[in-house]
Amino acid sequence: MDYKETLLLPKTDFPMRGNLPTNEPKKYQAWFDADMYEQMKAKRADAEMFTLHDGPPYANGDIHIGHALNKILKDIILKYNYFQGKAVRMTPGWDCHGLPIEQKVEEKLGKSKKEAMPTEKFRELCRAHAEKFVDIQRTEFKTLGVIADWENPYVTMDFKFEANIYRTLCEVAQKGLLVERHKPIFWSWAARTALADAEVEYEDKEDYSIYVHFELSDAAKETLGLEGKAGLVIWTTTPWTLPANTGISLNPDEMYVVTADGQIVAEARYDAMIEEGVVSGHASRKIAATELEGLLAINPVNGRTSTVVLGEHVLMDGGTGCVHTAPGHGEDDYKVGLKYGLDVIMPVDERGCYDESVVGLNLLPNPENFVGMHIFKANEPILEILGDNLLKVSKFVHSYPHCWRTKKPLIYRATNQWFISIDDTPQGASDTLRESALHAIEDVDFYPASSKNRLKPMIEGRPDWCISRQRSWGVPIAFFRIKSTKEVIFDADVLEHIAALFDVHGADAWYAMSNAELLPEGSKYNPDDLEKISDILDVWFDSGSTWNSVLSSGNYDAGEYPASLYIEGSDQHRGWFQSSLLLSSAINQISPYKTLITHGFTVDEKGEKMSKSKGNVVAPDKVIKQYGSEILRLWVALSDYQTDLKISDGILKQTAEQYRKIRNTFRFLLANVNDLETYVEPNEYGELDRWILVKARDVFVSVKASFDAYDFLRGFATLNHFITNELSGIYMDITKDRLYCEAKDSQTRRATQSAMAHISKAMLGLVAPVLTYTVDEILEYAPTRFKEGMENVFDLVYTEIPQVEASFDDTLLMEAREKFSEAIDSLKKEKVIKATLELEIAGDASILPIEDAKDLEDWFVVSAIKTSSEGEQIASFELEGKTFTVHKATCAKCPRCWRFTSNAENRACERCAKVVGA
């Protein structure tokens, strides 16, 4: 008899290979055609809401692997919450204003065409450029399998969006936090605009290190009782700022010494100055800093006076203890200058060149030569002017602020700019903005927890936020100023009328419409008396106000404010996280996010930054074409995203192997439940079934706990270990006999099928957020009883494994199985045996916790376990001080189940004969 036809072999059409690059795009297109995001909303209409607010990427260029990491991570988290039964929202967005787009359009136009073009026409070209890349990036994000509200994204250049950015600005102004000041800020001379702290990068730069003698005035010497040469020694790395010097700052708590060669330095720095050769001779006299306060010294570059002031910012860890102070060129300088009423001199124009006012600063001998000279080229001429007052000059390399867009060194430059005041109290609040933001941080859950220690100090130490830019492509600071008084109009009716015009015409209206058109009907203001402020908003204000424009405006079905989650790269502590927190704290005194997750950056397998010149760039579209997006998604889940993430072809190959393991585990399970019609009752499971169900339930609880804490790496590590060891390595192996050889409807077989089905369904709910396409494909091929009405993956809700009574402690059994394997390993290699079914084990089996004899045989996959055996002994192993011997089986091989339990050759064993009715 041919017994093969009587076996219940696994049966499924679910393919072993996914052919992902070919099949994924079709499935994704079907999802987007069916507007799956809207269907997801409908399926969870009354459920608890989870809002993920998308940090907007910049609409300029194709997406890179960092973009892919970010969007995939968001999608995994969003879908995890969805498959846990929550309603979810993610409205994707794009940042569309700002310098890079402006520069790209300028490059295409050429400088002369740009300058001749009306601002509104130039803005139209910038809008078209951003629109093009919004469409490109949206298409690229969709190829990653990311489900979001792609039909209704937020785009910061949309008219209503620009209006709401402006409304947020007006709310800040009406809270009394918007101030205009003439003070030094980071200035990009290459981009000709002010920058905020978040736009500053630090790179190495070579600079001069100079020590300069400022001779005391005759009156100062007389006051101090000094004769002959006597002057303060300053140290600076920016000789070009010396023309704007108006003071010298000393530490109020320090003593200063006059050296024999007439130099005055801090006593604490005297030895260092001797060693460096800046001063010579013994310290002839000590003078307290307070004695020097208010005295005058002479600036050697132009003969102007410089006032001695006291400041806590003067430190003793370098320099001379006498700090060159130019209030127009530094934050500390400005603060101390404000206290002492020092002049704020600014002879540098927007290009970083000296303007006409430098002539009045009397740089000797020919001040007019400096007009139009770039400041960095002025260092050498200024050193020449110093002559003998230049005590020491050298060069050194140090970390210096650079513009994040142009990559050029920045300068501090005093200009009229708009600031959000961090230490003022918003109207109607009791805390300052800084205090409010710090309080709000305490209500946020941080992942990793250490990221709180990055954001908090930044808020504690940050200066006022400079929000004005001197460019064209952005939301204008659309306020009128009265020409005669320079007073800014914050009239609520005027502001709302402008906002309403922006709703319809966009912020271009500020440039295209006249003053009269921009004022409400019946306004008390005469249009001819007003002038428009021409600055635009910092793009960080745009993105920082998205919680207001997206979550609070009612213009989008985007979820709830505050959002459940913000998640971006760790660089956003100084960017989006901070700007969003400040604006939300300014207006509502709360954080815009309940949870904050930061991820690292993508690097190559050596941990090096990716660059085209190194040839180590991994492009998302290339990965998708070669491996499929599921592999990229699994790479994200299997990486420690809280640090920098390594990616390379080798790493992706390893990930593809892990994907195949998961896929084929599901394939085996699916194939073996193909004819399951009903689940058995909990009390009908055998010992091995109860063991795997209890084990799986515990593992899945642990995996879910990891996923709840956004730790997908740990969760997948736990899951993969279970799949490889207990599930695939043991249970799927040891139950093949009952699945293939028992009667179709036997309780033993049905119990194992039920256990496999419950485990499969629970596991699908855990892997679906990552491998959404694959789970959808599994459900496509799953039997009706398994699907239970699910038409696709988005009908899935995570279901825990049913609780069953624990069967046995597997500690001793695991040890016994391992020792048995070690004992027979050489027998397989030497081809003494082909399979363990040729064996039987003899020994005291009562010490093993499985009671059912057949289950115990299945545990070891042997044909018999006896007290003693007459078969040939070929191995042995020790367990709990007892010896177990391994023998060749004494019965004949059953031609149907291949167990050695038959009474004669080529005859079915008792069990198989009964099943086939022979």
Side-chain angles (χ1 to χ4, degrees), residues 41 55 74 78 97 223 243 250 280 294 334 411 587 600 628 762 801 863:
K41 282 160 60 175
K74 287 172 180 172
L78 198 80
H97 297 126
T223 301
L250 311 182
S280 60
Y334 176 77
I411 59 174
I587 295 170
I801 291 174
S863 288

Side-chain angles (χ1 to χ4, degrees), residues 187-351:
W187 183 269
S188 173
W189 51 267
R192 301 191 187 186
T193 186
L195 295 184
D197 285 16
E199 298 170 301
V200 178
E201 294 177 342
Y202 284 82
E203 295 174 22
D204 284 349
K205 179 178 183 288
E206 186 180 61
D207 271 322
Y208 281 100
S209 166
I210 64 171
Y211 292 90
V212 182
H213 175 88
F214 275 58
E215 184 73 7
L216 286 172
S217 68
D218 291 342
K221 290 180 190 177
E222 190 177 329
T223 301
L224 295 170
L226 296 173
E227 293 181 0
K229 181 182 177 185
L232 296 154
V233 181
I234 66 97
W235 173 71
T236 184
T237 61
T238 53
W240 62 268
T241 63
L242 286 173
N245 172 281
T246 55
I248 299 172
S249 299
L250 311 182
N251 186 302
D253 301 320
E254 293 293 328
M255 293 298 294
Y256 287 74
V257 295
V258 185
T259 66
D261 59 346
Q263 314 294 0
I264 300 173
V265 296
E267 184 180 18
R269 297 297 301 155
Y270 170 70
D271 289 342
M273 293 299 96
I274 289 283
E275 197 173 313
E276 287 190 43
V278 176
V279 302
S280 60
H282 64 279
S284 61
R285 179 176 163 191
K286 291 184 182 181
I287 305 173
T290 49
E291 292 180 67
L292 291 158
E293 184 181 18
L295 300 181
L296 299 179
I298 308 302
N299 185 341
V301 298
N302 55 17
R304 293 167 63 91
T305 58
S306 183
T307 306
V308 180
V309 297
L310 305 180
E312 300 289 345
H313 66 287
V314 180
L315 305 176
M316 295 296 127
D317 55 357
T320 66
C322 309
V323 174
H324 149 56
T325 301
H329 287 303
E331 181 76 20
D332 288 328
D333 300 39
Y334 176 77
K335 285 177 182 172
V336 77
L338 208 60
K339 179 181 172 184
Y340 284 93
L342 301 182
D343 288 341
V344 179
I345 295 173
M346 177 42 58
V348 180
D349 68 17
E350 62 180 15
R351 303 167 302 149

Side-chain angles (χ1 to χ4, degrees), residues 422-478:
I422 195 86
D423 289 312
D424 281 336
T425 303
Q427 212 167 47
S430 55
D431 292 328
T432 66
L433 176 52
R434 190 189 307 277
E435 290 165 345
S436 181
L438 289 170
H439 290 323
I441 285 173
E442 297 305 319
D443 294 327
V444 176
D445 292 323
F446 288 84
Y447 295 90
S450 60
S451 65
K452 179 180 180 180
N453 299 330
R454 289 194 65 189
L455 183 59
K456 193 174 179 181
M458 287 179 175
I459 298 293
E460 286 171 336
R462 67 157 296 133
D464 291 340
W465 178 7
C466 178
I467 61 164
S468 47
R469 297 292 180 272
Q470 290 65 52
R471 303 295 302 186
S472 302
W473 177 230
V475 175
I477 298 178

